[in-house]
């Protein structure tokens, strides 16, 4: 497929007129080998800026580089607290005398940079492509005194690794999962655990071809390496080279996960294990409005990786990207069971559990699947969309479930009709569509759970009244990576384990950000919530008789929610009979209940100023990971919250699941 490449002009002032491309809405399937990333993403951003009709807010740093030690990076998702190593910028380095004479270094620099004989000879052993084995050994040096490594990469070379590290681009620029990191920028934490596909660092071509690479690279290498090491790497530097600094890092999240024996291998130290990673990015056609991109596809087809790469590419050129979470089982920024609307302002350089954060708006559905209550799922998504400002001109990415058969496909049809999408990207594999292609033509006859054709968008307040059904660009992408369509079978690669990791990451915020031993649940000081404050208690996922409500809620995860109406108490606990659709501000662990004094004991990282607004605790099917309860050091006697004196063979021992709104398609009367 041929794509016209658009040139990106910095500081472009004139707005471009949108092209009328209604005749080019549907495109044929595209394989990952044909996909083009940067030029088309740039064109998409360029047209988006024309829609906004103002000078773009660009993230790229334009000022000269600052010493990274002066930059304090705030990373609330991972709890990172670290002063960064020196970033590149020749103006911040000085040629001073330490152990050798500066004139000797200048002569050495000239001998390399002279007629190119020595440089070209040394460069013969540099192989393009993946860095591994001998090629990696030749272009990387480690400084044991400062506990870091420096790597010189040539254009298009890649390094695929497992582990975690702090990456600083000292010279040139590199790309990680679609996000471009340039010299002079802050350091970025990279997470590449065994639970997900490994990250790849790729060297890009330098934007300035006129610079004196040897003279500028010399003070950089001197600062971070010893004499023998920097002399070796200096011979590898060309005008197309990039120099990166890799440092070990430790965060409250990694310390918390390492405290559990079964999870300790997730946080291995940085190493250079090479593995293959196929990342892909589809191009998006011309846009006639601000982008509303819906991504759909069956399970294990790569939607989450695709979306992270797409968001990172957009963040190269725009300050933020909105994200609407529609997948209850594999959420990106919250524990499972949530629908949320977030604004992403930083790159996503790791799996979901490494960047947990509080969304702008969130609703706790309370189950990893919506099959028990389809109507509440759709109404929750509508509620979130209505909270988004109509005048907001930021592109938004919509994630969907991997349930694309039966009622799941009908929900997808409803979402496309409810939300004013401009692009639908449909991922599939093996050359086969696991569900019909949701083209604008198909939608003219498709039936949803709540909608029937023909229908205009249900959120009519976002469109002109009596307008025809909204059209959109549809693109099918064929995934080609190994194991596509199958869930991982190795340890920590199953979806239920991913959900546990996200919840553990959220609970790691209960720990102190300062280094020290990890505290178990029973040693943390809880908040006391009195019934007289009229805090209601409800169960979302099953039926529980009122007499057993406290037994079900004790030592469980609860959503901290805010009902729109005041909860009135008549001296006892307020129990909800129906599942509400209301804002959720976070989560907590109901550590204990004192019925006599009417107290709830709650552990939560939510700020007290926000906690005062909470008037409802919702219990869902998202349970605490077993390791939280079974790994509790520092107590005597019986382990809290854990018992072996229980049998599921007894009648009523298991929870009762209630299905709402599920009718077989054959029983649905035609309209």
């Amino acid at each position: 497929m041929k794509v016209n490449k658009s040139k990106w002009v910095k500081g472009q002032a004139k707005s471009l007129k949108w092209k009328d491309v209604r005749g080019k809405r549907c495109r044929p399937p595209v394989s990952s080998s044909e996909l083009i990333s940067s030029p088309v993403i740039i064109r998409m951003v360029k047209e988006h800026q024309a829609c906004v009709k103002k000078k773009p807010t660009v993230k790229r740093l334009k000022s000269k580089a600052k010493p990274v030690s002066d930059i304090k990076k705030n990373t609330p998702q991972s709890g990172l607290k670290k002063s960064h190593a020196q970033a590149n910028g020749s103006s911040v380095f000085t040629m001073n005398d330490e152990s050798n004479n500066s004139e000797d270094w200048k002569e050495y620099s000239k001998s390399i940079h002279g007629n190119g004989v020595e440089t070209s000879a040394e460069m013969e052993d540099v192989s393009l492509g993946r860095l591994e084995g001998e090629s990696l050994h030749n272009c990387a040096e480690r400084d044991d005194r400062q506990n870091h490594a420096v790597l010189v990469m040539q254009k298009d070379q890649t390094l695929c690794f497992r582990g975690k590290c702090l990456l600083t681009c000292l010279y040139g620029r590199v790309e990680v999962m679609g996000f471009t990191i340039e010299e002079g920028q802050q350091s970025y934490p990279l997470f590449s655990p065994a639970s997900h596909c490994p990250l790849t660092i790729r060297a890009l071509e330098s934007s300035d071809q006129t610079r004196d690479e040897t003279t500028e690279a010399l003070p950089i290498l001197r600062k971070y390496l010893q004499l023998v090491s920097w002399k070796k790497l200096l011979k590898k530097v060309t005008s197309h080279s990039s120099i990166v600094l890799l440092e070990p890092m430790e965060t409250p999240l990694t310390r918390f996960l390492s405290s559990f024996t079964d999870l300790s291998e997730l946080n291995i130290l940085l190493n250079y294990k090479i593995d293959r990673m196929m990342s892909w990015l589809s191009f998006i056609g011309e846009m006639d409005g601000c982008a509303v991109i819906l991504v759909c596809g069956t399970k294990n087809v790569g939607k989450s990786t695709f979306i992270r790469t797409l968001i990172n590419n957009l963040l190269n050129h725009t300050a933020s990207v909105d994200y609407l979470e529609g997948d209850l089982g594999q959420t990106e920024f919250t524990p499972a069971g949530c629908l949320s609307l977030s604004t992403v302002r930083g790159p996503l350089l790791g799996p979901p559990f490494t960047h947990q954060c509080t969304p702008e708006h969130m609703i706790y559905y309370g189950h990893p699947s919506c099959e028990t209550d389809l109507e509440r799922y759709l109404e929750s998504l509508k509620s979130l969309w209505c909270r988004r400002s109509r005048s907001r001109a930021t592109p938004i990415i919509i994630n969907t479930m991997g349930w694309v058969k039966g009622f799941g496909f009908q929900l997808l049809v409803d979402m496309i009709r409810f939300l004013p999408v401009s692009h639908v990207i449909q991922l599939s594999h093996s050359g086969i569509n696991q569900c019909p292609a949701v083209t604008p033509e198909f939608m003219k006859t498709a039936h949803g759970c709540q909608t029937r054709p023909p229908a205009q968008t249900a959120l009519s307040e976002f469109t002109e009244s009596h307008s025809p059904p909204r059209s959109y660009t549809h693109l099918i992408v064929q995934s080609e990576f190994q194991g596509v369509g199958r869930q991982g079978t190795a340890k920590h690669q199953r979806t239920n384990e991913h959900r546990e990791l996200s919840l553990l990451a959220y609970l790691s915020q209960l720990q102190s950000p300062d280094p020290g031993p990890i505290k178990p649940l029973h040693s943390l000081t809880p908040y006391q919530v009195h019934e007289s404050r009229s805090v209601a208690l409800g169960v979302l996922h099953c039926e529980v008789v009122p007499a057993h409500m406290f037994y079900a809620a004790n030592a469980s995860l609860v959503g901290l929610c805010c009902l729109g109406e005041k909860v009135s108490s008549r001296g006892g606990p307020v129990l909800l009979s129906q599942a509400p659709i209301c804002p959720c501000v976070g989560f907590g662990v109901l550590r204990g209940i004192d019925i006599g004094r009417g107290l709830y004991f709650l552990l939560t990282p939510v700020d007290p100023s926000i906690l005062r607004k909470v008037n409802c605790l919702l219990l869902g099917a998202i349970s605490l990971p077993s390791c939280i309860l079974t790994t509790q050091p520092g107590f005597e006697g019986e382990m809290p919250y854990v018992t072996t004196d229980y049998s599921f063979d007894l009648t009523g021992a298991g929870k009762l699941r209630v299905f709402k709104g599920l009718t077989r398609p054959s029983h649905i009367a035609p309209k």
Side-chain angles (χ1 to χ4, degrees):
M1 182 173 292
K2 188 176 181 180
V3 178
N4 294 327
K5 299 183 179 180
S6 300
K7 296 183 179 180
W8 176 260
V9 181
K10 295 185 179 179
Q12 181 175 6
K14 287 190 176 181
S15 299
L16 301 178
K17 299 295 184 182
W18 296 111
K19 298 180 181 179
D20 187 2
V21 291
R22 290 184 175 85
K24 302 179 182 179
R25 290 292 182 185
C26 302
R27 303 181 183 272
V30 180
S31 66
S32 62
S33 60
E34 296 172 317
L35 300 180
I36 302 176
S37 57
S38 179
V40 183
I41 290 298
I42 291 176
R43 183 175 70 246
M44 182 179 66
V45 176
K46 183 178 179 182
E47 294 172 348
H48 166 68
Q49 293 166 358
C51 170
V52 182
K53 293 185 179 180
K54 62 182 181 180
K55 187 175 180 179
T57 304
V58 181
K59 177 194 68 61
R60 296 269 71 87
L61 296 181
K62 298 301 181 183
S63 59
K64 70 176 184 179
K66 300 179 181 179
V68 184
S69 57
D70 296 338
I71 302 174
K72 299 296 182 181
K73 183 189 173 206
N74 183 16
T75 311
Q77 298 95 327
S78 60
L80 183 64
K81 282 190 174 181
K82 190 180 189 304
S83 59
H84 306 294
Q86 178 73 45
N88 184 41
S90 58
S91 60
V92 300
F93 294 101
T94 57
M95 298 289 289
N96 53 10
D97 292 330
E98 293 179 1
S99 59
N100 297 285
N101 190 282
S102 59
E103 294 298 326
D104 295 336
W105 283 321
K106 290 181 180 179
E107 292 179 5
Y108 179 77
S109 174
K110 292 178 181 179
S111 68
I112 295 178
H113 192 61
N115 56 12
V117 176
E118 184 176 350
T119 303
S120 59
E122 292 291 342
M123 289 301 300
E124 289 179 355
D125 62 347
V126 177
S127 59
L128 297 179
R130 290 189 300 168
L131 291 176
E132 53 185 328
E134 188 66 23
S135 63
L136 177 61
H137 176 75
N138 290 333
C139 62
E141 286 293 324
R142 179 184 179 89
D143 192 312
D144 294 328
R145 298 181 305 172
Q146 303 184 64
N147 195 22
H148 61 225
V150 176
L151 178 66
V152 175
M153 304 178 69
Q154 309 306 323
K155 176 187 173 184
D156 292 330
Q157 280 189 329
T158 60
L159 172 66
C160 190
F161 72 96
R162 288 289 193 194
K164 53 183 172 62
C165 69
L166 198 66
L167 183 146
T168 307
C169 185
L170 304 176
Y171 182 88
R173 55 181 186 152
V174 296
E175 179 189 71
V176 181
M177 217 172 177
F179 184 74
T180 302
I181 304 175
E182 300 177 350
E183 59 180 277
Q185 287 185 324
Q186 62 191 29
S187 302
Y188 288 96
L190 305 186
F191 295 90
S192 184
S195 58
H196 292 72
C197 60
L199 291 182
T200 298
I201 304 171
R202 183 170 70 93
L204 302 177
E205 185 176 6
S206 175
S207 57
D208 185 3
Q209 300 295 326
T210 62
R211 62 195 307 179
D212 187 345
E213 66 276 0
T214 306
T215 304
E216 294 187 27
L218 175 59
I220 298 175
L221 296 176
R222 281 182 51 208
K223 181 176 180 64
Y224 295 101
L225 296 173
Q226 299 182 46
L227 179 62
V228 175
S229 298
W230 69 253
K231 281 188 174 182
K232 171 187 173 182
L233 291 189
L234 189 60
K235 301 175 183 179
K236 310 294 182 181
V237 179
T238 70
S239 59
H240 300 289
S241 299
S242 297
I243 304 177
V244 295
L245 175 70
L246 305 177
E247 302 173 277
M249 67 174 180
E250 198 68 43
T251 70
L253 168 62
T254 58
R255 290 197 302 270
F256 183 68
L257 294 181
S258 297
S259 67
F260 303 104
T261 305
D262 291 341
L263 302 178
S264 58
E265 64 269 25
L266 284 176
N267 293 295
I268 57 177
L269 294 176
L270 175 67
N271 62 77
Y272 298 112
K273 178 181 177 181
I274 305 301
D275 199 357
R276 184 179 182 185
M277 174 185 178
M278 293 293 292
S279 76
W280 62 99
L281 182 65
S282 76
F283 69 87
I284 298 177
E286 296 86 351
M287 301 187 307
D288 50 355
C290 298
V292 180
I293 307 169
L294 184 143
V295 181
C296 60
T298 187
K299 298 178 180 178
N300 305 305
V301 77
K303 294 190 299 297
S304 297
T305 304
F306 176 89
I307 288 176
R308 283 194 289 272
T309 306
L310 176 59
I311 290 176
N312 288 342
N313 270 273
L314 291 173
L315 287 176
N316 288 328
H317 309 284
T318 186
S320 63
V321 178
D322 288 349
Y323 176 84
L324 178 62
E325 182 61 82
D327 189 349
L328 293 166
Q330 300 298 316
T331 51
E332 188 69 29
F333 300 105
T334 68
C338 295
L339 300 172
S340 62
L341 180 62
S342 305
T343 299
V344 186
R345 296 182 175 86
L348 308 178
L349 305 178
F353 73 88
T354 64
H355 46 250
Q356 294 288 291
C357 61
T358 302
E360 276 69 20
H361 305 285
M362 178 169 59
I363 293 176
Y364 186 43
Y365 185 87
H367 202 283
S369 173
C370 69
E371 62 183 2
T372 58
D373 197 343
L374 306 181
E375 183 177 359
R376 185 160 66 92
Y377 172 80
L378 287 173
E379 294 303 320
S380 298
L381 283 177
K382 295 179 192 177
S383 176
L384 288 172
W385 185 265
C386 289
R387 292 177 181 273
R388 188 172 187 257
S389 174
R390 302 185 189 182
S391 60
R392 188 165 179 81
T394 304
I396 181 170
I397 312 297
I398 303 172
N399 188 22
T400 60
M401 300 178 295
W403 182 25
V404 293
K405 294 184 179 180
F407 288 106
F409 182 72
Q410 292 182 11
L411 288 176
L412 177 60
V413 170
D414 284 337
M415 289 181 64
I416 295 176
R417 287 203 177 110
F418 288 149
L419 306 175
V421 298
S422 61
H423 298 75
V424 173
I425 302 178
Q426 191 168 0
L427 276 67
S428 59
H429 64 85
S430 303
I432 303 172
N433 292 330
Q434 285 66 40
C435 65
V438 287
T439 63
E441 188 68 24
F442 174 83
M443 292 294 293
K444 294 179 180 179
T445 59
H447 286 255
C449 290
Q450 294 185 357
T451 62
R452 298 290 183 271
Q456 65 183 49
T457 173
L459 298 179
S460 57
E461 63 269 25
F462 291 95
T463 61
E464 297 181 2
S465 58
H466 308 293
S467 61
R470 180 182 293 270
S471 185
Y472 53 85
T473 300
H474 178 262
L475 177 66
I476 295 178
V477 177
Q478 297 288 350
S479 301
E480 297 178 344
F481 59 90
Q482 185 177 3
V484 61
R486 300 192 304 270
Q487 180 177 256
T489 57
K491 196 173 184 180
H492 308 305
Q493 292 184 349
R494 293 180 288 272
T495 54
N496 63 311
E497 292 177 298
H498 289 176
R499 288 193 286 269
E500 287 193 349
L501 286 171
S502 293
L503 184 51
L504 286 171
Y506 184 86
L507 295 177
S508 70
Q509 300 175 64
L510 291 169
Q511 303 294 324
S512 171
D514 301 323
I518 298 299
K519 297 181 179 179
L521 289 183
H522 66 267
S523 66
L524 299 174
T525 304
Y527 293 101
Q528 293 186 12
V529 182
H530 203 282
E531 291 177 359
S532 62
R533 290 192 65 250
S534 299
V535 177
L537 184 64
V539 179
L540 299 172
H541 62 295
C542 61
E543 299 288 346
V544 178
V545 296
H548 295 170
M549 187 72 81
F550 288 154
Y551 295 105
N554 190 37
S556 297
L557 183 78
V558 292
L560 310 179
C561 303
C562 304
L563 295 175
E565 56 189 29
K566 185 177 180 180
V567 178
S568 58
S569 174
R570 298 181 179 178
V574 179
L575 305 180
L576 300 178
S577 58
Q578 295 182 343
I581 298 177
C582 57
C584 177
V585 298
F587 297 89
V589 177
L590 205 55
R591 177 181 156 181
I593 302 174
D594 190 329
I595 300 178
R597 294 191 294 166
L599 293 176
Y600 299 138
F601 296 95
L602 187 69
L603 293 171
T604 177
V606 176
D607 188 86
S609 62
I610 300 176
L611 198 58
R612 294 188 183 97
K613 304 176 184 178
V614 173
N615 61 357
C616 178
L617 305 179
L618 295 181
L619 173 66
I622 310 302
S623 57
L624 292 174
S626 58
C627 59
I628 286 283
L629 302 176
T630 58
T631 307
Q632 299 186 67
F635 66 89
E636 297 180 359
E638 187 177 356
M639 184 177 294
Y641 313 116
V642 178
T643 180
T644 57
D645 187 16
Y646 188 84
S647 174
F648 279 98
D649 296 332
L650 299 176
T651 303
K655 63 185 178 184
L656 177 64
R657 299 180 65 188
V658 178
F659 293 85
K660 301 179 182 179
L662 279 179
T663 305
R664 294 185 180 277
S666 58
H667 295 166
I668 299 177
K671 295 185 179 181

